[in-house]
Amino acid sequence: MSCDKEKTIAEQEELDQEIAEADAPAEAEETVEDNPLQKSYDELYDKHLRTLAEYDNYKRRTQKEKDELYTVAQADTIMNLLPVIDNLERAVSAAENSPLSEGVQMVLKQFMDILEKMGVSEIEAVGQPFDPNLHNAVMHVEDENLEEGMVAEEFAKGYKLKDRVLRHSMVKVAN
């Protein structure tokens, strides 16, 4: 009987040890939460993560501002060059069939190729429906050959830089 009693005591001790081991992690968690160093570490880590997020937002915001500034500067420069293009086109039409006309046409073509590479395109106007986002109507005309609201004539070419209108086309619209 003492042997049975010893087995029961040994089994009880093993059970107590298993229970103590199972309770140990819970106690360890409580001590980690109550530990002032762990709290300080958690606060500093949280500040670190917030600082990283703020820096990432700052980088994105400044890159976006830089891209917008470049686009505005590019558009402003091209706007200042548009009168030169207009004058070159006038020179070509005024000096038709002269040797000077060929040279001016070559310069104009080179100029337009450069602008095209930069993303500048002419706004099509004649024969297109009037669009106030692209065209500036300066005259109206009664024309039975054209539908109402169609552009009849273009006085000054309009230009776009990608999707942004640099200068509206000055047009005559049919009523």
Side-chain angles (χ1 to χ4, degrees):
M1 189 147 181
S2 77
C3 203
D4 287 342
K5 196 175 189 183
E6 288 175 7
K7 280 185 183 179
T8 323
I9 293 172
E11 290 173 358
Q12 185 64 35
E13 287 175 359
E14 285 178 13
L15 239 149
D16 289 343
Q17 189 175 2
E18 288 176 10
I19 292 171
E21 288 174 3
D23 287 344
E27 290 173 7
E29 288 175 15
E30 290 175 7
T31 57
V32 167
E33 290 174 5
D34 294 336
N35 187 345
L37 290 175
Q38 183 65 36
K39 284 182 183 179
S40 177
Y41 170 80
D42 290 342
E43 289 173 7
L44 288 173
Y45 186 72
D46 185 52
K47 283 183 181 179
H48 173 70
L49 289 179
R50 289 176 191 272
T51 304
L52 285 176
E54 286 177 22
Y55 179 68
D56 191 42
N57 290 338
Y58 168 77
K59 279 184 9 184
R60 249 186 273 122
R61 186 176 58 248
T62 55
Q63 183 62 41
K64 183 179 176 183
E65 289 172 357
K66 191 188 317 180
D67 292 343
E68 288 175 6
L69 184 62
Y70 175 77
T71 303
V72 168
Q74 184 182 28
D76 189 43
T77 302
I78 293 169
M79 287 282 293
N80 290 327
L81 294 174
L82 291 180
V84 176
I85 294 171
D86 294 339
N87 289 331
L88 286 172
E89 288 174 344
R90 286 186 197 107
V92 167
S93 64
E96 285 183 26
N97 301 327
S98 80
L100 182 63
S101 175
E102 287 182 38
V104 175
Q105 280 179 338
M106 290 170 57
V107 171
L108 178 62
K109 182 181 178 341
Q110 185 179 22
F111 210 139
M112 294 306 291
D113 289 344
I114 291 170
L115 290 178
E116 188 176 313
K117 287 179 187 175
M118 294 174 69
V120 176
S121 61
E122 291 181 8
I123 297 173
E124 292 188 37
V126 177
Q128 301 292 320
F130 176 75
D131 182 357
N133 296 319
L134 302 174
H135 308 123
N136 181 14
V138 293
M139 289 181 72
H140 291 280
V141 66
E142 296 291 330
D143 191 345
E144 294 175 7
N145 297 334
L146 294 172
E147 296 178 27
E148 185 176 333
M150 297 296 282
V151 175
E153 187 178 344
E154 180 179 49
F155 298 117
K157 287 185 180 179
Y159 294 92
K160 293 190 316 183
L161 174 62
K162 297 175 182 142
D163 292 334
R164 181 181 178 169
V165 176
L166 295 174
R167 182 173 79 183
H168 293 78
S169 298
M170 290 200 320
V171 297
K172 181 192 300 185
V173 180
N175 282 341

Coordinates of all heavy atoms in Angstrom, one line a residue, residues 102-163:
E102 N 11.7 78.3 -97.3 CA 12.2 76.9 -97.0 C 13.0 76.8 -95.7 O 12.8 75.9 -94.9 CB 13.1 76.3 -98.1 CG 12.3 76.0 -99.4 CD 13.2 75.4 -100.4 OE1 14.1 74.7 -100.1 OE2 13.0 75.8 -101.6
G103 N 13.9 77.8 -95.5 CA 14.6 77.8 -94.2 C 13.8 78.1 -93.0 O 13.9 77.4 -92.0
V104 N 12.8 79.0 -93.2 CA 11.9 79.2 -92.0 C 11.0 78.0 -91.7 O 10.8 77.6 -90.6 CB 11.0 80.5 -92.3 CG1 10.0 80.7 -91.2 CG2 11.9 81.7 -92.5
Q105 N 10.6 77.3 -92.8 CA 9.8 76.1 -92.6 C 10.7 75.0 -91.9 O 10.1 74.3 -91.0 CB 9.4 75.5 -94.0 CG 8.2 76.2 -94.6 CD 7.8 75.6 -95.9 OE1 8.6 75.0 -96.6 NE2 6.6 75.8 -96.3
M106 N 11.9 74.9 -92.2 CA 12.8 73.9 -91.5 C 12.9 74.3 -90.0 O 12.9 73.4 -89.2 CB 14.2 73.9 -92.2 CG 14.1 73.3 -93.6 SD 15.6 73.4 -94.6 CE 16.8 72.7 -93.6
V107 N 13.1 75.6 -89.8 CA 13.2 76.0 -88.4 C 11.9 75.7 -87.6 O 11.9 75.2 -86.5 CB 13.6 77.5 -88.3 CG1 13.5 78.0 -86.8 CG2 15.0 77.7 -88.8
L108 N 10.8 76.0 -88.2 CA 9.5 75.8 -87.6 C 9.3 74.3 -87.4 O 8.8 73.9 -86.3 CB 8.4 76.4 -88.5 CG 7.0 76.2 -88.0 CD1 6.8 76.9 -86.7 CD2 6.0 76.6 -89.1
K109 N 9.7 73.5 -88.3 CA 9.5 72.0 -88.2 C 10.4 71.5 -87.0 O 9.9 70.7 -86.2 CB 9.8 71.3 -89.4 CG 9.6 69.8 -89.3 CD 10.0 69.1 -90.6 CE 9.9 67.6 -90.5 NZ 9.8 66.9 -89.3
Q110 N 11.6 72.0 -86.9 CA 12.5 71.6 -85.9 C 11.9 72.0 -84.5 O 11.9 71.3 -83.5 CB 13.9 72.2 -86.1 CG 14.9 71.8 -85.1 CD 16.3 72.4 -85.4 OE1 16.3 73.5 -86.0 NE2 17.3 71.8 -84.9
F111 N 11.4 73.2 -84.5 CA 10.8 73.7 -83.2 C 9.6 72.9 -82.8 O 9.5 72.5 -81.6 CB 10.3 75.2 -83.5 CG 10.3 76.1 -82.3 CD1 10.7 77.4 -82.5 CD2 9.9 75.7 -81.1 CE1 10.7 78.2 -81.4 CE2 9.9 76.5 -80.0 CZ 10.3 77.8 -80.2
M112 N 8.7 72.5 -83.8 CA 7.5 71.7 -83.5 C 7.9 70.3 -83.1 O 7.3 69.7 -82.2 CB 6.6 71.7 -84.7 CG 6.0 73.1 -85.0 SD 5.2 73.9 -83.6 CE 3.7 72.8 -83.4
D113 N 9.0 69.7 -83.7 CA 9.4 68.4 -83.3 C 9.9 68.4 -81.8 O 9.6 67.4 -81.1 CB 10.6 67.9 -84.2 CG 10.1 67.6 -85.6 OD1 8.9 67.4 -85.8 OD2 11.0 67.5 -86.5
I114 N 10.6 69.4 -81.4 CA 11.1 69.5 -80.0 C 9.9 69.6 -79.1 O 9.9 68.9 -78.1 CB 12.1 70.7 -79.9 CG1 13.4 70.4 -80.6 CG2 12.3 71.0 -78.4 CD1 14.3 71.7 -80.7
L115 N 8.9 70.5 -79.4 CA 7.8 70.6 -78.6 C 7.0 69.3 -78.5 O 6.4 68.9 -77.4 CB 6.9 71.8 -79.1 CG 7.4 73.2 -78.9 CD1 6.5 74.2 -79.5 CD2 7.7 73.4 -77.4
E116 N 6.9 68.6 -79.6 CA 6.2 67.3 -79.6 C 6.8 66.3 -78.7 O 6.2 65.6 -78.0 CB 6.1 66.8 -81.1 CG 5.3 65.6 -81.2 CD 5.2 65.1 -82.7 OE1 5.0 66.0 -83.5 OE2 5.3 63.9 -82.9
K117 N 8.2 66.3 -78.7 CA 8.9 65.4 -77.8 C 8.6 65.7 -76.3 O 8.7 64.9 -75.4 CB 10.4 65.5 -78.0 CG 10.8 64.8 -79.3 CD 12.3 64.9 -79.5 CE 12.7 64.3 -80.9 NZ 14.2 64.6 -81.1
M118 N 8.4 67.0 -76.1 CA 8.1 67.5 -74.7 C 6.6 67.2 -74.3 O 6.3 67.4 -73.1 CB 8.4 69.0 -74.6 CG 9.8 69.3 -74.7 SD 10.1 71.1 -74.7 CE 9.7 71.5 -73.0
G119 N 5.8 66.7 -75.2 CA 4.4 66.4 -74.9 C 3.4 67.5 -75.3 O 2.3 67.5 -74.9
V120 N 3.9 68.5 -76.1 CA 3.0 69.6 -76.6 C 2.4 69.1 -77.9 O 3.0 68.6 -78.8 CB 3.8 70.9 -76.8 CG1 2.9 72.0 -77.3 CG2 4.5 71.3 -75.5
S121 N 1.1 69.4 -78.0 CA 0.3 69.1 -79.2 C -0.6 70.2 -79.6 O -1.1 70.9 -78.7 CB -0.4 67.8 -79.1 OG -1.4 67.9 -78.0
E122 N -0.9 70.3 -80.8 CA -1.9 71.3 -81.3 C -3.3 70.8 -81.0 O -3.6 69.6 -81.1 CB -1.7 71.6 -82.8 CG -0.5 72.3 -83.2 CD -0.4 72.5 -84.7 OE1 -1.4 72.3 -85.4 OE2 0.7 72.9 -85.2
I123 N -4.2 71.8 -80.7 CA -5.6 71.4 -80.5 C -6.3 71.5 -81.8 O -6.2 72.6 -82.5 CB -6.2 72.4 -79.5 CG1 -5.6 72.3 -78.1 CG2 -7.7 72.2 -79.4 CD1 -6.0 73.3 -77.1
E124 N -6.9 70.4 -82.3 CA -7.6 70.5 -83.5 C -8.9 71.3 -83.3 O -9.6 71.1 -82.3 CB -8.0 69.0 -84.0 CG -6.7 68.2 -84.4 CD -7.1 66.9 -85.0 OE1 -8.1 66.8 -85.7 OE2 -6.4 65.9 -84.7
A125 N -9.2 72.1 -84.3 CA -10.3 73.0 -84.2 C -11.3 73.0 -85.3 O -12.5 72.6 -85.2 CB -9.8 74.4 -83.9
V126 N -10.8 73.3 -86.5 CA -11.7 73.4 -87.7 C -12.4 72.1 -88.0 O -11.7 71.0 -88.1 CB -10.9 73.9 -89.0 CG1 -11.8 73.9 -90.2 CG2 -10.2 75.2 -88.7
G127 N -13.7 72.1 -88.1 CA -14.5 70.9 -88.4 C -14.8 70.1 -87.1 O -15.5 69.1 -87.2
Q128 N -14.4 70.6 -86.0 CA -14.6 69.9 -84.7 C -15.8 70.6 -84.0 O -16.0 71.8 -84.2 CB -13.4 69.9 -83.8 CG -12.2 69.3 -84.4 CD -12.3 67.8 -84.5 OE1 -12.9 67.1 -83.7 NE2 -11.9 67.2 -85.7
P129 N -16.5 69.8 -83.2 CA -17.6 70.5 -82.4 C -16.9 71.5 -81.4 O -15.8 71.2 -80.8 CB -18.3 69.4 -81.6 CG -17.5 68.2 -81.9 CD -16.5 68.4 -83.0
F130 N -17.5 72.6 -81.1 CA -17.0 73.6 -80.2 C -16.9 73.0 -78.8 O -17.9 72.5 -78.3 CB -17.9 74.9 -80.2 CG -17.4 75.9 -79.2 CD1 -16.3 76.7 -79.4 CD2 -18.2 76.1 -78.0 CE1 -15.9 77.6 -78.5 CE2 -17.8 77.0 -77.1 CZ -16.6 77.8 -77.3
D131 N -15.8 73.1 -78.2 CA -15.6 72.7 -76.8 C -15.0 73.9 -76.0 O -13.9 74.3 -76.2 CB -14.6 71.5 -76.8 CG -14.4 71.0 -75.3 OD1 -14.9 71.5 -74.4 OD2 -13.7 69.9 -75.2
P132 N -15.7 74.4 -75.1 CA -15.2 75.6 -74.3 C -14.0 75.3 -73.5 O -13.3 76.2 -73.1 CB -16.4 76.0 -73.4 CG -17.3 74.8 -73.4 CD -17.1 74.0 -74.6
N133 N -13.7 74.0 -73.3 CA -12.5 73.6 -72.5 C -11.2 73.7 -73.4 O -10.1 73.8 -73.0 CB -12.6 72.2 -72.0 CG -13.6 72.1 -71.0 OD1 -13.8 73.0 -70.1 ND2 -14.4 71.0 -71.0
L134 N -11.4 73.7 -74.8 CA -10.3 73.7 -75.7 C -10.4 75.0 -76.6 O -9.3 75.4 -77.1 CB -10.4 72.5 -76.6 CG -10.3 71.1 -75.9 CD1 -10.5 70.0 -76.9 CD2 -9.0 71.0 -75.2
H135 N -11.5 75.5 -76.9 CA -11.7 76.6 -77.8 C -12.2 77.9 -77.2 O -13.0 77.8 -76.2 CB -12.7 76.2 -78.9 CG -12.3 74.9 -79.6 ND1 -13.2 73.8 -79.6 CD2 -11.2 74.5 -80.2 CE1 -12.7 72.8 -80.2 NE2 -11.4 73.2 -80.6
N136 N -11.8 79.0 -77.8 CA -12.3 80.3 -77.3 C -13.0 80.9 -78.5 O -12.4 81.3 -79.5 CB -11.1 81.2 -76.9 CG -11.5 82.5 -76.4 OD1 -12.7 82.8 -76.1 ND2 -10.6 83.5 -76.3
A137 N -14.4 81.0 -78.4 CA -15.2 81.5 -79.5 C -15.1 83.0 -79.5 O -15.5 83.7 -78.6 CB -16.6 81.0 -79.4
V138 N -14.6 83.6 -80.6 CA -14.5 85.1 -80.7 C -15.5 85.6 -81.7 O -15.7 86.8 -81.8 CB -13.0 85.5 -81.0 CG1 -12.1 85.2 -79.9 CG2 -12.5 84.9 -82.3
M139 N -16.0 84.7 -82.6 CA -17.0 85.1 -83.6 C -18.0 84.0 -83.8 O -17.7 82.8 -83.5 CB -16.3 85.4 -84.9 CG -15.5 86.7 -84.9 SD -14.8 86.9 -86.6 CE -16.2 87.4 -87.5
H140 N -19.2 84.4 -84.2 CA -20.2 83.4 -84.7 C -20.6 83.7 -86.1 O -20.6 84.9 -86.5 CB -21.5 83.6 -83.8 CG -21.3 83.1 -82.4 ND1 -21.3 81.8 -82.0 CD2 -21.0 83.8 -81.3 CE1 -21.1 81.7 -80.7 NE2 -20.9 82.9 -80.2
V141 N -20.9 82.7 -86.9 CA -21.2 82.9 -88.3 C -22.4 82.0 -88.6 O -22.6 80.9 -88.0 CB -20.0 82.6 -89.2 CG1 -19.7 81.1 -89.1 CG2 -20.3 83.0 -90.6
E142 N -23.3 82.5 -89.5 CA -24.4 81.7 -90.0 C -23.9 80.9 -91.2 O -23.6 81.5 -92.2 CB -25.6 82.6 -90.4 CG -26.2 83.3 -89.2 CD -26.9 82.4 -88.2 OE1 -27.5 81.3 -88.6 OE2 -26.9 82.7 -87.0
D143 N -23.8 79.6 -91.1 CA -23.3 78.8 -92.2 C -24.2 77.6 -92.4 O -24.2 76.7 -91.4 CB -21.8 78.4 -92.0 CG -21.2 77.9 -93.3 OD1 -21.9 77.5 -94.2 OD2 -19.9 77.8 -93.3
E144 N -24.9 77.5 -93.5 CA -25.8 76.3 -93.7 C -25.0 75.0 -94.0 O -25.6 74.0 -93.8 CB -26.7 76.6 -94.8 CG -27.7 77.8 -94.5 CD -28.6 78.2 -95.7 OE1 -28.5 77.5 -96.7 OE2 -29.2 79.2 -95.6
N145 N -23.8 75.1 -94.4 CA -23.0 73.9 -94.7 C -22.5 73.3 -93.4 O -22.1 72.1 -93.5 CB -21.8 74.3 -95.6 CG -22.2 74.9 -96.9 OD1 -23.3 74.5 -97.4 ND2 -21.4 75.7 -97.5
L146 N -22.4 74.0 -92.3 CA -21.9 73.4 -91.1 C -23.1 73.2 -90.1 O -24.0 74.0 -90.0 CB -20.9 74.4 -90.4 CG -19.6 74.5 -91.2 CD1 -18.7 75.6 -90.6 CD2 -18.8 73.2 -91.2
E147 N -22.9 72.2 -89.2 CA -23.9 72.0 -88.2 C -23.7 73.1 -87.1 O -22.7 73.7 -87.0 CB -23.7 70.6 -87.5 CG -23.9 69.4 -88.4 CD -23.6 68.1 -87.7 OE1 -23.7 68.1 -86.5 OE2 -23.2 67.2 -88.5
E148 N -24.7 73.2 -86.3 CA -24.7 74.2 -85.2 C -23.6 73.8 -84.2 O -23.6 72.6 -83.8 CB -26.0 74.3 -84.6 CG -26.1 75.4 -83.5 CD -27.5 75.6 -82.9 OE1 -28.5 75.3 -83.6 OE2 -27.5 76.0 -81.8
G149 N -22.8 74.7 -83.8 CA -21.8 74.4 -82.7 C -20.5 73.9 -83.3 O -19.7 73.5 -82.5
M150 N -20.4 73.8 -84.6 CA -19.1 73.4 -85.2 C -18.2 74.6 -85.4 O -18.6 75.7 -85.7 CB -19.4 72.7 -86.6 CG -20.2 71.4 -86.5 SD -19.5 70.1 -85.5 CE -18.3 69.5 -86.7
V151 N -16.9 74.3 -85.3 CA -15.9 75.3 -85.5 C -15.7 75.5 -87.0 O -15.4 74.6 -87.8 CB -14.5 74.9 -84.9 CG1 -13.5 76.0 -85.2 CG2 -14.7 74.8 -83.4
A152 N -15.9 76.8 -87.5 CA -15.9 77.1 -88.9 C -14.5 77.6 -89.3 O -14.0 77.2 -90.4 CB -16.9 78.2 -89.2
E153 N -13.8 78.3 -88.4 CA -12.5 78.9 -88.8 C -11.6 79.0 -87.5 O -12.2 79.3 -86.4 CB -12.7 80.2 -89.5 CG -11.4 80.8 -90.0 CD -11.7 82.2 -90.7 OE1 -12.9 82.5 -91.0 OE2 -10.7 82.9 -90.9
E154 N -10.3 78.9 -87.7 CA -9.4 79.0 -86.6 C -8.5 80.3 -86.8 O -7.9 80.4 -87.8 CB -8.5 77.8 -86.4 CG -7.6 77.8 -85.3 CD -6.7 76.5 -85.2 OE1 -6.2 76.1 -86.3 OE2 -6.7 76.0 -84.1
F155 N -8.6 81.2 -85.8 CA -7.8 82.4 -86.0 C -6.4 82.3 -85.3 O -5.4 82.8 -85.8 CB -8.5 83.6 -85.3 CG -9.8 83.9 -86.0 CD1 -11.0 83.8 -85.3 CD2 -9.9 84.3 -87.3 CE1 -12.2 84.1 -85.8 CE2 -11.1 84.6 -87.9 CZ -12.2 84.5 -87.2
A156 N -6.3 81.6 -84.2 CA -5.0 81.3 -83.6 C -5.0 79.9 -83.0 O -6.0 79.4 -82.4 CB -4.8 82.3 -82.4
K157 N -4.0 79.1 -83.3 CA -3.9 77.7 -82.9 C -3.8 77.7 -81.3 O -3.2 78.5 -80.7 CB -2.6 77.1 -83.4 CG -2.7 76.8 -84.9 CD -1.5 76.0 -85.4 CE -1.6 75.8 -86.9 NZ -0.4 75.1 -87.4
G158 N -4.4 76.6 -80.9 CA -4.4 76.3 -79.4 C -3.4 75.1 -79.2 O -3.1 74.3 -80.1
Y159 N -2.8 75.1 -78.0 CA -1.8 74.1 -77.7 C -2.1 73.4 -76.3 O -2.6 74.1 -75.4 CB -0.4 74.6 -77.7 CG 0.0 75.1 -79.1 CD1 -0.2 76.4 -79.5 CD2 0.7 74.2 -80.0 CE1 0.2 76.8 -80.8 CE2 1.1 74.6 -81.2 CZ 0.8 75.9 -81.6 OH 1.2 76.4 -82.9
K160 N -1.8 72.1 -76.2 CA -1.9 71.4 -75.0 C -0.5 70.8 -74.6 O 0.2 70.4 -75.5 CB -2.9 70.3 -75.1 CG -4.3 70.7 -75.3 CD -5.3 69.5 -75.2 CE -4.9 68.2 -75.9 NZ -5.9 67.2 -75.8
L161 N -0.3 70.8 -73.3 CA 0.9 70.1 -72.8 C 0.4 68.9 -72.0 O -0.2 69.0 -71.0 CB 1.7 71.0 -71.8 CG 2.9 70.3 -71.1 CD1 3.9 69.9 -72.1 CD2 3.5 71.3 -70.1
K162 N 0.5 67.7 -72.7 CA -0.2 66.5 -72.2 C -1.6 66.7 -72.1 O -2.3 66.9 -73.1 CB 0.5 66.0 -70.9 CG 2.0 65.7 -71.2 CD 2.7 65.3 -69.9 CE 4.1 65.1 -70.3 NZ 5.1 65.5 -69.3
D163 N -2.2 66.8 -70.9 CA -3.7 67.0 -70.8 C -4.0 68.4 -70.4 O -5.2 68.8 -70.3 CB -4.3 66.1 -69.7 CG -4.2 64.6 -70.2 OD1 -4.2 64.4 -71.4 OD2 -4.2 63.7 -69.3

